[in-house]
Amino acid sequence: DFEASFIRLIDKVTNGSRIEINQTGTTLYYQPGLLYGGSLEHDCSPSRGIGYYLESLLCLAPFMKHPLKIVLRGVTNDQVDPSVDVLKATALPLLKKFGIDGESLDIKINRRGMPPKGGGEILFACPVRKVLQPVQFTDPGKIKRIRGTAYSVRVSPQMANRMVESARGILNKFLPDIYIYTDHMKGVSSGKSPGFGMCLTAETINGTILSAELASNPQGQGAAVLPEELGQNCAKLLLEEVYR
């Protein structure tokens, strides 16, 4: 179902695409059309995160005919795909290096949606660039600061604070400049399922950005995760990235 949803999304942003799927659903014939863009909306399948759809849009959006403004609905943070937070923190600065920037390049999280039911909503906007700047980018540089977001959806706001404390307990041994935002969504903007999680990014002096993230198990699946454990594990994942 998520692949079918992805094909529908590609059909929306293009003009004149031809798509044929055989009866058993094992073969796909795809003839690409023109990248058209414009203002669109799409409901993503909740079995995969919005990040799954956003990754390909990030590659195509700069070359549309009209600037792309698209509202995607579904799961913003899960355990499978890169979350919207991580793509916003890592992919957008990378696009800027290639000369795709301006106020119109933005990923905005209106509502957070956790699996299994989703209910999140994001807005992705990207300007049109016919030509990319060439980039020489080989030296990652030293880590200078760590930023992050701890989010809680339909659970106690204390969850976010507990994650931040345990993550800082590990990261503060290595670096003083750490700031982790807490993001507690209430009411309408909190989606349909409870959950919490964290995404951390480490930035170097040359503007390289490394990221790590973790989310709690979906409602009714697997064992309950303690926010302290999740915060610690996320910090360790980030340090693993830095080590590599």
Side-chain angles (χ1 to χ4, degrees), residues 67-244:
L68 184 68
K69 272 187 104 165
I70 186 161
V71 174
L72 298 172
R73 296 190 187 89
V75 173
T76 53
N77 306 77
D78 68 356
Q79 295 173 321
V80 189
D81 298 293
S83 68
V84 181
D85 299 271
V86 159
L87 286 175
K88 181 174 180 171
T90 56
L92 291 191
L94 203 55
L95 285 181
K96 284 179 182 163
K97 285 193 193 304
F98 287 99
I100 306 161
D101 54 1
E103 285 179 14
S104 47
L105 177 68
D106 192 26
I107 296 177
K108 188 165 172 241
I109 302 173
N110 298 329
R111 291 207 279 273
R112 276 191 193 280
M114 300 292 289
K117 290 183 186 159
E121 180 183 291
I122 69 141
L123 171 74
F124 170 53
C126 182
V128 176
R129 292 285 182 273
K130 294 286 180 263
V131 184
L132 296 185
Q133 291 173 2
V135 172
Q136 267 196 329
F137 195 43
T138 50
D139 176 25
K142 301 267 191 222
I143 305 287
K144 65 172 180 179
R145 62 172 171 207
I146 293 175
R147 294 287 178 266
T149 308
Y151 56 86
S152 52
V153 178
R154 290 189 175 271
V155 292
S156 154
Q158 276 305 312
M159 294 287 197
N161 301 339
R162 285 161 64 183
M163 282 186 285
V164 172
E165 268 178 48
S166 61
R168 288 194 73 116
I170 290 181
L171 297 173
N172 270 344
K173 296 174 192 168
F174 304 101
L175 202 70
D177 187 0
I178 299 173
Y179 198 89
I180 305 174
Y181 298 88
T182 54
D183 181 11
H184 179 64
M185 292 275 188
K186 284 195 281 225
V188 186
S189 59
S190 64
K192 297 174 181 168
S193 295
F196 54 89
M198 181 177 234
C199 84
L200 294 172
T201 54
E203 196 182 328
T204 69
I205 45 180
N206 294 350
T208 311
I209 294 174
L210 306 170
S211 66
E213 62 172 328
L214 275 179
S216 59
N217 290 330
Q219 191 182 11
Q221 295 171 32
V225 187
L226 281 174
E228 283 81 3
E229 277 175 27
L230 191 137
Q232 279 177 0
N233 292 340
C234 193
K236 286 174 186 168
L237 274 178
L238 184 71
L239 294 174
E240 176 87 5
E241 285 288 325
V242 173
Y243 172 69
R244 284 184 189 169

